[in-house]
């Protein structure tokens, strides 16, 4: 049975939602949080550091971990595998920190099934066209990867319904989202944060409509 202790913060959001920037701000503003570094079979991007961004492993190494029950959860995402190592999550949680799992929705569900002391937050861009713009501007992905990630963003948004809170990351509102996350984890009233979505069905409808109309297409 889920309680609201919030020792684990599940943070999800599609690629380009701005989770990375938001998290950086959360860590600047509060020392109660610790980041869980994941395993991945994807290649490092420029600037990514082994053991800080990810543990970069081969498929064989990854499945050794999985087979031996060393992962809290794992999934395949856009042709690569990602997983959360058990031992560090438990250690940091026992030390009294809020452990941040920055993971996609499939893995998030697995964590929700295993733990009862989590708070889940989903970050969404304001619209599909804003997301497309951000992904292209980022310049780190191939066209194939951009298309896959855009497509996946829609599925993830539908899955966001199982999250405790869904927050919109408008351009230039990173600080507001970071403060909302800290506030939510401190037990403040979620309704008091203007970046929080209250009607997700309405938002999904508008998000998708943006895909088919408008000047960007
Ligand atoms: P990226 O390749 O852009 O770093 O990450 C792709 C997606 O995988 C992101 O949505 C990210 O949150 C997610 N991800 C990163 N680590 C993990 C993990 O350990 N488990 C799961 N399920 N997803 C992860």
């Amino acid at each position: 049975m889920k309680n609201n202790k919030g020792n684990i913060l599940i943070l999800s959001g599609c690629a380009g939602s701005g989770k990375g920037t938001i998290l950086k701000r959360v860590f600047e503003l509060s020392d109660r949080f610790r980041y869980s570094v994941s395993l991945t079979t994807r290649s490092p991007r420029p600037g990514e550091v082994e053991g800080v961004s990810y543990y970069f492993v081969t498929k064989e190494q990854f499945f050794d971990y999985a087979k031996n029950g060393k992962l809290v959860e794992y999934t395949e995402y856009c042709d690569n595998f990602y997983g959360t190592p058990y031992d560090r999550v438990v250690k940091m949680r026992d030390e009294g920190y809020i452990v941040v799992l920055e993971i996609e929705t499939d893995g998030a569900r697995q964590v929700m099934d295993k733990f009862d002391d989590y708070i889940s937050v989903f970050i969404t861009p304001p619209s599909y066209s804003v997301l497309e713009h951000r992904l292209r501007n980022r310049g780190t992905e191939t066209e194939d990867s951009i298309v896959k990630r855009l497509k996946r963003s829609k599925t993830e948004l539908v899955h966001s319904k199982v999250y405790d809170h869904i927050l919109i990351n408008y351009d230039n509102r990173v600080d507001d989202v970071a403060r909302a996350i800290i506030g939510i984890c401190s037990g403040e009233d979620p309704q008091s944060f203007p970046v929080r979505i209250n009607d997700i069905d309405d938002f999904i409808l508008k998000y998708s409509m943006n895909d088919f109309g408008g000047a960007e297409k």
Side-chain angles (χ1 to χ4, degrees), residues 38 42 45 54 73 75 82-84 102-104 149:
S38 295
R42 124 163 127 58
R45 295 189 187 121
Y54 281 106
E73 59 73 38
T75 197
Y82 296 81
T84 304
E102 185 195 341
I103 60 179
E104 53 65 67
R149 281 160 196 262

